[in-house]
Amino acid sequence: QEFLETDIAIIGGGFGGVAAALAAAEAGKRVVISEPTDWIGGQVTAQAVSALDEHFHIETFGGTRSYYRFREAVRNYYRNEYPAARDRGEPFNPGGGWVSRLCFEPRVGLKVLQDMLAPYVETGRVRLLLEHAPISAEVRGGRISEVTLAGPEDRRVILRAALFLDATELGDLLPLVGAPYVTGAEWAANTGEPHAAPDRAYPERVQSFTVGFLVDYCPGENHTIRKPNGYDYLRQSQPFTLVLRTRGGNYRRFFMFKGDLPFWTYRRVLDAGQMLPGAFASPRESGCGPVRDIALINWDSNDYYKENLIDRSPAQQARILREARRLSLCFLYWLQTEAPRDDNDGRGYPGLRLLPEAVGTADGLAKTPYIRESRRVLGFRRVLEQDITARTDAGARAAHFTDTVGVGWYPIDRHRCAGDPPAGQDTRIDVDPTLPFQIPLGAMLSPAVDNLIAAAKNISTTHITNGAYRVHPVEWAVGEAAGTLAAACLSDAVTPRAVLEDPARLRAFQRALLDRGAPLVWSVDAGLDDPDFAALQASLLHGPFPAGTPRRERLEILPDALLTRSEGVWLLEGLPRTRLPSRARENGPLADLLAAWRAAPLGPFTGADWSAACAALDLPAPLTG
């Protein structure tokens, strides 16, 4: 066995783990990342879900600066590899998949992430332990002292660090270190969520996972795989279909190549028509030349919901994964032999060809399944359905968290679950639309373990809110915040809990995130390129905009427009107490001003109002500008 000591140990090299490593390494800390596969990147690489689940504003707001570096590097790869791609319009989507604004091949995502880490790997600041997974841990006095990793050929690595980040896909570090966690669906009586289970908690009701695969299409050729065992049963019980239930209880048939939303281009990750001069009339015309369309197959029909992977023995997990991989091969076989053809002439598309080289496996299936739901740490704060869904009094944003460390936005997306009643396995929960939300630091920390930070999909959400927080840009933001926090704790010799509970330390940490280009509040008209981005964001941290004001009802913060008087009150009350001594807060002139402004809340907060406030608070004149 080998002993390794480092500043920060990141267990899990998925999307959040890489983001955490970059943030920590850029802050000058030493990092070791363990990853059970031979590919870093998780969702976008080993799991083959390289069609990013993002939101409407993502091209201009809602990601961190490092996340945008990743996105732009992916696009630049194709621009450099295919000269014709340089002339494509913006925003450039190499795959042209209609589910996402950025679709690309998993191997390209892998190269970009490797390139981003390369400067720190080469200098030794970051060390990668591929094909290593945690098997045990030692905890003393509520602190993790070491984690043992199992590697190839019975290798054992004992990893010691000041701080440990759990960036695994299933929250695998949580049970090893004794951090309380939940799985599956909570009871409504415990969370108050309108769509939580009404009668009790269901720990086994975990969202299905999916073994994705990539295919191209060669018209006139036959690439039909051998009929998998159990095909006839799975065809009926899954079932295999191109008809899906949509929100609201409607059903829609998706055609393979025709229509406004073809199945073929749903998660297409390489659009040959954009990589070669000219354009093809249809996806089928790319044929099997040197550049071909490539599509990711990740669909309800290959969602594996029969059993749950969490808290199973290695033997049980291996069996479940074999069955899930067989399910995906069965769905491919159905597409090749029985799927209804667009022209209604026969059945199946035998020209669909599995691409092992595109995912780096012998069988052509993704190295590891796409995990939708992890163990979830019981944190200082739990994100509930009512925190992020639209309400009549909510305004444009979800609930404000004063300990925000990032932002995100996605619908609450619940797929079929292990443990669902059999009669409900073809249904979905139609939850209210979500509002653009924040990531609270309290959801990333365990009260039971001082030096543990959740850094992926294992933060303290619920079964319901996990469906909105599990997506790519949110996982990246969680990981980046975790790595930044770990570095800050080491520099200041404090625990993560101390940062959460000390307002001054929390504000300093949030300012460090803002300086990295991590938005903490939704302000779509003042993004990362705004010279006042960090200052504007910092001024918004203390609480939500007052009810009834334009800035509460819109995602814009209108930095050049006058404040209303109620917003002026809100802004003054949010100034740090070090700037507003208690005697100034309590003095008569200030109280009189605040009372007058509250009496006319929608009136303009003028320069004269600013001057009066500064005079009452004995603050210097520059604040009136």
Side-chain angles (χ1 to χ4, degrees):
Q1 65 185 18
E2 179 182 359
F3 290 88
L4 285 180
E5 292 196 8
T6 188
D7 295 328
I8 300 167
I10 301 174
I11 311 302
F15 211 44
V18 172
L22 280 169
E26 288 168 3
K29 307 307 177 186
R30 296 176 302 129
V31 179
V32 172
I33 315 176
S34 67
E35 163 56 34
T37 74
D38 59 349
W39 280 14
I40 59 170
Q43 292 193 58
V44 298
T45 60
Q47 298 175 26
V49 186
S50 50
L52 303 181
D53 291 317
E54 298 176 325
H55 52 77
F56 174 76
H57 293 282
I58 193 59
E59 295 299 337
T60 55
F61 191 87
T64 70
R65 184 171 290 121
S66 64
Y67 183 72
Y68 285 120
R69 278 171 44 209
F70 168 77
R71 296 174 92 252
E72 192 60 19
V74 166
R75 287 169 166 156
N76 285 338
Y77 173 90
Y78 288 96
R79 293 184 182 112
N80 294 333
E81 188 76 9
Y82 303 101
R86 299 170 192 166
D87 300 325
R88 303 304 174 189
E90 297 294 341
F92 174 44
N93 186 349
W98 52 262
V99 75
S100 171
R101 290 167 176 79
L102 183 58
C103 304
F104 51 92
E105 299 159 89
R107 63 179 182 84
V108 175
L110 175 64
K111 183 182 187 311
V112 168
L113 293 176
Q114 289 172 332
D115 288 348
M116 292 176 77
L117 283 177
Y120 309 105
V121 173
E122 290 167 1
T123 60
R125 191 175 293 173
V126 171
R127 179 168 178 179
L128 297 175
L129 296 178
L130 300 178
E131 299 181 89
H132 284 74
I135 57 171
S136 66
E138 187 170 326
V139 181
R140 299 172 183 167
R143 289 182 60 84
I144 308 166
S145 57
E146 61 187 38
V147 171
T148 299
L149 307 170
E153 300 178 352
D154 295 324
R155 183 189 185 204
R156 293 292 184 269
V157 175
I158 296 177
L159 186 54
R160 294 169 178 162
L163 288 150
F164 288 82
L165 277 55
D166 185 348
T168 61
E169 300 300 326
L170 291 171
D172 289 331
L173 193 56
L174 301 180
L176 298 181
V177 301
Y181 62 90
V182 295
T183 65
E186 289 87 354
W187 184 18
N190 291 334
T191 67
E193 294 176 303
H195 292 91
D199 51 349
R200 64 179 178 87
Y202 288 86
E204 291 297 315
R205 192 170 289 175
V206 174
Q207 286 215 50
S208 55
F209 62 86
T210 306
V211 178
F213 56 92
L214 301 184
V215 293
D216 62 8
Y217 182 59
C218 301
E221 299 183 15
N222 188 347
H223 295 281
T224 304
I225 64 172
R226 182 177 179 179
K227 183 177 181 180
N229 292 333
Y231 169 78
D232 294 322
Y233 168 75
L234 289 172
R235 177 185 56 188
Q236 299 301 323
S237 64
Q238 188 66 13
F240 296 151
T241 180
L242 296 185
V243 177
L244 292 187
R245 180 184 182 274
T246 60
R247 293 184 183 274
N250 298 315
Y251 288 85
R252 173 173 183 154
R253 176 191 170 182
F254 291 83
F255 293 87
M256 180 63 76
F257 295 111
K258 74 177 187 179
D260 57 336
L261 299 175
F263 175 79
W264 180 250
T265 57
Y266 171 54
R267 280 193 166 109
R268 183 175 57 186
V269 296
L270 181 64
D271 177 7
Q274 295 190 84
M275 305 304 152
L276 298 174
F280 298 113
S282 79
R284 290 169 291 179
E285 294 182 19
S286 63
C288 276
V291 183
R292 308 178 300 278
D293 273 16
I294 298 176
L296 162 63
I297 308 302
N298 179 331
W299 191 252
D300 275 21
S301 292
N302 59 324
D303 284 355
Y304 187 85
Y305 61 89
K306 306 292 186 183
E307 292 183 82
N308 160 35
L309 284 168
I310 297 174
D311 293 333
R312 298 294 185 268
S313 69
Q316 288 173 319
Q317 286 186 332
R319 174 186 57 78
I320 293 169
L321 289 171
R322 284 195 301 270
E323 292 178 4
R325 298 180 82 82
R326 182 163 57 88
L327 169 65
S328 287
L329 290 174
C330 285
F331 183 49
L332 171 61
Y333 184 78
W334 180 84
L335 290 170
Q336 292 173 324
T337 62
E338 294 194 62
R341 294 183 62 87
D342 293 349
D343 56 10
N344 294 317
D345 183 15
R347 291 271 177 173
Y349 289 88
L352 292 173
R353 179 171 61 176
L354 197 59
L355 299 176
E357 70 281 3
V359 292
T361 63
D363 63 4
L365 304 177
K367 289 176 178 289
T368 190
Y370 169 49
I371 300 296
R372 294 187 175 87
E373 188 170 343
S374 168
R375 296 176 181 89
R376 302 184 300 279
V377 67
L378 278 175
F380 288 89
R381 179 196 295 273
R382 181 159 52 174
V383 181
L384 305 176
E385 176 187 351
Q386 52 268 38
D387 288 329
I388 68 170
T389 52
R391 307 176 306 280
T392 56
D393 63 341
R397 298 168 183 83
H400 182 84
F401 298 128
T402 55
D403 59 339
T404 174
V405 296
V407 299
W409 192 15
Y410 202 71
I412 293 172
D413 183 21
R414 182 187 185 273
H415 288 233
R416 288 181 290 183
C417 297
D420 273 348
Q425 287 178 345
D426 63 345
T427 66
R428 63 189 301 165
I429 295 177
D430 289 328
V431 184
D432 295 334
T434 61
L435 297 172
F437 52 74
Q438 296 169 314
I439 304 162
L441 176 59
M444 297 169 56
L445 306 180
S446 170
V449 185
D450 281 347
N451 61 340
L452 172 68
I453 306 173
K457 294 186 286 287
N458 53 352
I459 65 172
S460 190
T461 56
T462 65
H463 172 69
I464 291 175
T465 56
N466 164 76
Y469 276 73
R470 71 166 189 259
V471 294
H472 300 83
V474 178
E475 183 179 348
W476 185 277
V478 169
E480 184 165 351
T484 306
L485 175 63
C489 288
L490 286 171
S491 295
D492 296 340
V494 297
T495 65
R497 180 172 186 163
V499 174
L500 175 67
E501 295 180 343
D502 182 331
R505 291 189 187 280
L506 175 61
R507 188 57 63 92
F509 168 54
Q510 290 172 319
R511 187 58 193 241
L513 287 170
L514 293 173
D515 289 343
R516 282 189 55 81
L520 307 182
V521 181
W522 278 85
S523 59
V524 297
D525 57 340
L528 299 179
D529 293 334
D530 191 304
D532 297 320
F533 164 76
L536 287 167
Q537 287 267 317
S539 71
L540 306 176
L541 293 175
H542 73 278
F545 288 106
T549 59
R551 291 173 176 86
R552 184 176 174 90
E553 303 305 321
R554 301 166 58 173
L555 288 179
E556 294 89 356
I557 62 167
L558 310 172
D560 297 323
L562 282 175
L563 296 172
T564 64
R565 282 186 160 179
S566 65
E567 289 170 330
V569 172
W570 163 82
L571 190 61
L572 286 170
E573 291 181 337
L575 287 174
R577 291 193 175 271
T578 53
R579 301 289 294 277
L580 293 182
S582 58
R583 62 176 178 81
R585 287 177 177 271
E586 297 165 1
N587 68 21
L590 178 62
D592 291 342
L593 285 173
L594 295 179
W597 296 337
R598 290 190 180 106
L602 298 183
F605 193 76
T606 64
D609 291 324
W610 275 116
S611 297
C614 289
L617 295 169
D618 195 24
L619 292 175
L623 268 71
T624 65

